[in-house]
Amino acid sequence: MRYFITVIAMFFTWSASAQDWEDRSVFSGADTSQSLRVLSSTDTSFFEPIINKFRIAYPNVSVEYLVTTTAEIDKIFRASPEDYDVVISSAMDLQLKLVNDGYAAKIANVETPDWAKWRDSLFAFTIEPAAIVINKAAFLGHKIPKTRQELIQSLRARPALFQDKLGTYDVRESGLGYLFATQDARASETYWRLMEVMGGLGTKLYCCSGAMIDDLESGKIAVAYNVLSSYAKARKGQDTSIEIILPADFPTTMMRTAIVSDSTINVKNAENFVRHLLDIQSEGQKDATTSLPSLFLNPGEQTIPLEPALMTYLDRLKRKTFLLEWERAIVQ
Amino acid sequence: MSEIVRTSGSLRKRLMITLISGAAVLAIVLFLIVRGYATQIAQNGQDNILSASVSSLLDAAVVQDGTVEVDFPYSSFSMLDTELDDRVFYGIYQDGRLLSGYEDLPRPSLKDGERRSFQTLDYAGTTVRLASAKRTLVGATGRTEISVSIAQTQDALSQTLGDISQTVTLFGTGFFLLIVLLSYWATTVTINPLMRLAMSVQRRGPQDLSPFRKEVPSEMVPLVSSLNTLMGRLDHSLTQSEDFIAEAAHRVRTPLATVRSYADATLQRVTKKQNRDALRSMVRAIDESSRAASQLLDHAMITFRADHLEKKQIDLVALVQELVVRLAPIAEMKDVTLDFAHDDVVTTKGDIILLQNAIRNLIDNALKYAPNESDIYISVKSDPNPNVMVLDQGPGYPVEDFDNLTTRFARGKNADGVVGSGLGLTIAKDVAVAHDGDLLLSNHEKGGACAILSL
Ligand SMILES: Nc1ncnc2c1ncn2[C@@H]1O[C@H](COP(=O)(O)OP(=O)(O)O)[C@@H](O)[C@H]1O
């Protein structure tokens, strides 16, 4: 018996180490037989309050929360969909394609607006615009740009200052970065001009919003383009050196989404988790410091719509073309 | 009178069933046609959008530096967004080789010369509609064929069809119910003249043989006119029969009376006892024949008159009184006393000739079967209804023949040697029934037959 337990323990250590998680937390419940594996691209710190609330409602269920990048999530989940119960990601396009390809289970009678769900399988639970975040020090005495166009002008006005002091997502690596970039490119040609200007000034490429904000705070870079405003806001609470600008020309707004794996055996618990998540997130504006932005859209505001067109830039040919053009502009 | 008529179903039912089943078939056909049409339209709608999407993908295909690029617009898939978020699958092929898209999607099945095709097939665990099209590109290196397939699930389509089916079912049912009501109405309207005719035939008095004069629908004209002809013929032959009876009675009785008067006259002149006896029995035989003939004729007349009763107010006492007076001589010959008792006034409605005939037969019977020197008691009473009773002191009706004494030509055991035809009680009974009354026969406890004619 003891031998058996050891083998299981070894197996777990091995399987856990086989995958390099950015973060892995286990919130154990009273009953070890009921566990939920949540695959997510959202930092644990943002999700912890939500999971804790879930555990109050369902004390018997333990939750294993696994964090990795959106692109990794897509890869891991497609490889073994039966190993995970809930998938949470900020890459709407990848999530929608998972549903389209039949990896998600339907959840009936979820009370959420039509624009915030797809096929009763994909459920949005946050509204998060992409932002331009600047280090205020770099703009002392200068006009703070409000649009992409103004940002181009600012950069062109003082190229020496901004040389090697710009940052944005490496869209080849980050699923969210790719989503933001493609939606920007779809909306306006300004995107390409901005990329060319940024490319000319030697832009640093990042995997994630967190790293970009770190470098902004430390002054390594002065401007970060297409940063998740939610992450920036969370950080700004402690720091006054940065400023968050939501571009006034056109906003690119993402929604974090959740699906329940179609091959999970914990259907009931997984459904409850998603329902609970939506309940918390649709309650309205809350303190932005600890938790995620709620699923609340002001009249007139729009998000990237959940529709099959999201799969457009996931097409192999389209992606190749887009990345080629992007590299030509920014990597130079 | 009512005879069993064999029926072969009801006209109304037959008409209703035909109309309703016709309506049902019509409703079902209507449902199928409308649904089929709706399905086609809905499918065409989906096909059109798929086709447009395929075209926009194909249009984006270009050959650049020897490689194919398909930089299709966002709207290509955007236009495939449906109410129920249908899933979308696609494949882009160069000369049959997958360039991009879903590996396992069925390849486009475009025949030579065909530019566009649509198929419904099973894919990814559901039914999808697959649209395909192809285009030939000419680059520096030569010709290459690009084909594109886009498949979409049919959730929204089935929902639309479901909605349509529901609406059509509702309409079909409504239509059907309406037709049922209409056919009920139509049937009633059609059948009514027939019912009215039947009613008026039923309501007619027995002697009313006049033709029908009311307006009838043209389809019923042959029936009504043959009915009229039939009744005309019946009326004619009835009149003829009555004339014949009167004629026959006259013709038979008159020669018999003549023969009898000759026999009487001869009896006066003959003196030899032997001859006188012979003549006497001859006279009796003539009487018997005359009586039998007149009874036969009476019976025949009653049978006809029963259908043509001429009912009049009758003083029953006076009627019986007259009969008693008329029969008194015969009674005297047998030393029989006719005892007549009656209420003050007894009247009834009826045919005087028939009643006379009936009562006379009853008294005749009493005279025939009662012994000499006995009393015959006759009474006329009005309670509970007008009735005439004849009671004699004879042997009474033969018990074993009781049941069929009133049938035609039936005679009892005690009738041997008594003159008669077996029609007397039959006549009395028929007359009673024709007046909605009855003839009751019984034997008095002290002996003697008792006949009551109650009206
Ligand atoms: N008053 C009566 N007393 C005894 N029997 C009678 C009397 N009246 C009728 N019947 C019996 O009923 C039979 C039928 O009578 P009826 O119809 O008058 O025919 P008939 O001509 O033989 O008298 C008679 O044959 C007789 O047997």
Side-chain angles (χ1 to χ4, degrees), chain A residues 100-101 119 315-316 318, chain B residues 71-72 88 90 99-100 102:
Chain A
N100 191 68
D101 297 356
R119 285 190 71 76
D315 177 70
R316 204 179 60 80
K318 283 288 283 185
Chain B
D71 195 10
F72 58 91
V88 172
Y90 70 100
L99 276 185
S100 174
Y102 288 78

Side-chain angles (χ1 to χ4, degrees), chain B residues 119-165:
Chain B
Q119 284 167 270
T120 303
L121 40 86
D122 283 335
Y123 176 73
T126 174
T127 307
V128 298
R129 185 72 171 170
L130 182 87
S132 311
K134 64 182 174 188
R135 186 158 92 102
T136 308
L137 294 181
V138 184
T141 49
R143 297 164 71 87
T144 181
E145 194 184 74
I146 304 295
S147 53
V148 168
S149 284
I150 299 185
Q152 189 180 32
T153 54
Q154 302 199 295
D155 298 359
L157 189 86
S158 342
Q159 164 147 331
T160 313
L161 286 184
D163 288 353
I164 292 175
S165 292

